[in-house]
mmCIF file of all heavy atoms in Angstrom:
data_model
loop_
_atom_site.group_PDB
_atom_site.id
_atom_site.type_symbol
_atom_site.label_atom_id
_atom_site.label_comp_id
_atom_site.label_asym_id
_atom_site.label_seq_id
_atom_site.Cartn_x
_atom_site.Cartn_y
_atom_site.Cartn_z
ATOM 1 N N GLY A 287 40.977 -19.893 -7.119
ATOM 2 C CA GLY A 287 39.548 -20.101 -7.356
ATOM 3 C C GLY A 287 38.829 -18.777 -7.529
ATOM 4 O O GLY A 287 39.088 -17.825 -6.789
ATOM 5 N N VAL A 288 37.922 -18.712 -8.516
ATOM 6 C CA VAL A 288 37.213 -17.469 -8.820
ATOM 7 C C VAL A 288 35.726 -17.756 -8.997
ATOM 8 O O VAL A 288 35.351 -18.722 -9.669
ATOM 9 C CB VAL A 288 37.764 -16.816 -10.108
ATOM 10 C CG1 VAL A 288 37.079 -15.473 -10.357
ATOM 11 C CG2 VAL A 288 39.270 -16.634 -10.036
ATOM 12 N N VAL A 289 34.891 -16.900 -8.406
ATOM 13 C CA VAL A 289 33.453 -16.915 -8.650
ATOM 14 C C VAL A 289 33.156 -15.703 -9.524
ATOM 15 O O VAL A 289 33.567 -14.578 -9.197
ATOM 16 C CB VAL A 289 32.644 -16.842 -7.343
ATOM 17 C CG1 VAL A 289 31.139 -16.911 -7.634
ATOM 18 C CG2 VAL A 289 33.051 -17.973 -6.400
ATOM 19 N N LEU A 290 32.448 -15.900 -10.638
ATOM 20 C CA LEU A 290 32.225 -14.837 -11.618
ATOM 21 C C LEU A 290 30.730 -14.605 -11.831
ATOM 22 O O LEU A 290 29.990 -15.524 -12.147
ATOM 23 C CB LEU A 290 32.870 -15.212 -12.965
ATOM 24 C CG LEU A 290 34.377 -15.473 -12.945
ATOM 25 C CD1 LEU A 290 34.849 -15.920 -14.330
ATOM 26 C CD2 LEU A 290 35.130 -14.220 -12.523
ATOM 27 N N HIS A 291 30.301 -13.350 -11.681
ATOM 28 C CA HIS A 291 28.906 -12.965 -11.909
ATOM 29 C C HIS A 291 28.888 -11.819 -12.899
ATOM 30 O O HIS A 291 29.588 -10.835 -12.744
ATOM 31 C CB HIS A 291 28.271 -12.519 -10.594
ATOM 32 C CG HIS A 291 26.905 -11.895 -10.770
ATOM 33 N ND1 HIS A 291 26.680 -10.544 -10.573
ATOM 34 C CD2 HIS A 291 25.719 -12.434 -11.140
ATOM 35 C CE1 HIS A 291 25.410 -10.285 -10.806
ATOM 36 N NE2 HIS A 291 24.802 -11.405 -11.150
ATOM 37 N N GLY A 292 28.062 -11.882 -13.962
ATOM 38 C CA GLY A 292 27.188 -12.946 -14.410
ATOM 39 C C GLY A 292 27.842 -13.731 -15.544
ATOM 40 O O GLY A 292 29.033 -13.567 -15.863
ATOM 41 N N ASP A 293 27.046 -14.509 -16.229
ATOM 42 C CA ASP A 293 27.547 -15.457 -17.223
ATOM 43 C C ASP A 293 28.330 -14.809 -18.362
ATOM 44 O O ASP A 293 29.392 -15.294 -18.743
ATOM 45 C CB ASP A 293 26.374 -16.222 -17.846
ATOM 46 C CG ASP A 293 25.988 -17.427 -17.018
ATOM 47 O OD1 ASP A 293 26.442 -17.530 -15.873
ATOM 48 O OD2 ASP A 293 25.216 -18.254 -17.522
ATOM 49 N N VAL A 294 27.797 -13.735 -18.929
ATOM 50 C CA VAL A 294 28.474 -13.114 -20.070
ATOM 51 C C VAL A 294 29.822 -12.555 -19.630
ATOM 52 O O VAL A 294 30.846 -12.758 -20.288
ATOM 53 C CB VAL A 294 27.608 -12.001 -20.695
ATOM 54 C CG1 VAL A 294 28.367 -11.271 -21.792
ATOM 55 C CG2 VAL A 294 26.329 -12.597 -21.267
ATOM 56 N N ASP A 295 29.839 -11.861 -18.491
ATOM 57 C CA ASP A 295 31.105 -11.369 -17.961
ATOM 58 C C ASP A 295 32.045 -12.535 -17.672
ATOM 59 O O ASP A 295 33.257 -12.448 -17.890
ATOM 60 C CB ASP A 295 30.867 -10.566 -16.682
ATOM 61 C CG ASP A 295 30.149 -9.261 -16.943
ATOM 62 O OD1 ASP A 295 30.208 -8.771 -18.084
ATOM 63 O OD2 ASP A 295 29.519 -8.724 -16.009
ATOM 64 N N ALA A 296 31.493 -13.642 -17.167
ATOM 65 C CA ALA A 296 32.324 -14.810 -16.861
ATOM 66 C C ALA A 296 32.993 -15.353 -18.119
ATOM 67 O O ALA A 296 34.196 -15.631 -18.129
ATOM 68 C CB ALA A 296 31.478 -15.900 -16.201
ATOM 69 N N LEU A 297 32.216 -15.513 -19.201
ATOM 70 C CA LEU A 297 32.801 -16.031 -20.442
ATOM 71 C C LEU A 297 33.880 -15.097 -20.970
ATOM 72 O O LEU A 297 34.939 -15.553 -21.440
ATOM 73 C CB LEU A 297 31.696 -16.212 -21.489
ATOM 74 C CG LEU A 297 30.643 -17.285 -21.194
ATOM 75 C CD1 LEU A 297 29.595 -17.309 -22.293
ATOM 76 C CD2 LEU A 297 31.275 -18.659 -21.031
ATOM 77 N N MET A 298 33.646 -13.799 -20.883
ATOM 78 C CA MET A 298 34.638 -12.848 -21.369
ATOM 79 C C MET A 298 35.892 -12.851 -20.506
ATOM 80 O O MET A 298 37.018 -12.771 -21.014
ATOM 81 C CB MET A 298 34.025 -11.449 -21.421
ATOM 82 C CG MET A 298 32.937 -11.307 -22.480
ATOM 83 S SD MET A 298 32.259 -9.633 -22.530
ATOM 84 C CE MET A 298 31.192 -9.745 -23.973
ATOM 85 N N LEU A 299 35.714 -12.970 -19.180
ATOM 86 C CA LEU A 299 36.878 -13.002 -18.296
ATOM 87 C C LEU A 299 37.695 -14.271 -18.509
ATOM 88 O O LEU A 299 38.930 -14.240 -18.462
ATOM 89 C CB LEU A 299 36.427 -12.888 -16.842
ATOM 90 C CG LEU A 299 35.994 -11.480 -16.403
ATOM 91 C CD1 LEU A 299 35.324 -11.526 -15.040
ATOM 92 C CD2 LEU A 299 37.192 -10.529 -16.361
ATOM 93 N N VAL A 300 37.035 -15.390 -18.749
ATOM 94 C CA VAL A 300 37.760 -16.629 -19.033
ATOM 95 C C VAL A 300 38.561 -16.491 -20.327
ATOM 96 O O VAL A 300 39.697 -16.957 -20.432
ATOM 97 C CB VAL A 300 36.783 -17.828 -19.098
ATOM 98 C CG1 VAL A 300 37.473 -19.067 -19.665
ATOM 99 C CG2 VAL A 300 36.233 -18.135 -17.707
ATOM 100 N N GLN A 301 37.974 -15.816 -21.325
ATOM 101 C CA GLN A 301 38.713 -15.569 -22.571
ATOM 102 C C GLN A 301 39.943 -14.709 -22.311
ATOM 103 O O GLN A 301 41.029 -14.972 -22.840
ATOM 104 C CB GLN A 301 37.801 -14.878 -23.582
ATOM 105 C CG GLN A 301 36.683 -15.758 -24.125
ATOM 106 C CD GLN A 301 35.708 -14.980 -24.997
ATOM 107 O OE1 GLN A 301 36.024 -13.916 -25.516
ATOM 108 N NE2 GLN A 301 34.500 -15.507 -25.155
#
Side-chain angles (χ1 to χ4, degrees):
V288 184
V289 182
L290 301 176
H291 171 250
D293 274 13
V294 175
D295 291 337
L297 294 178
M298 292 181 173
L299 285 169
V300 169
Q301 291 173 21

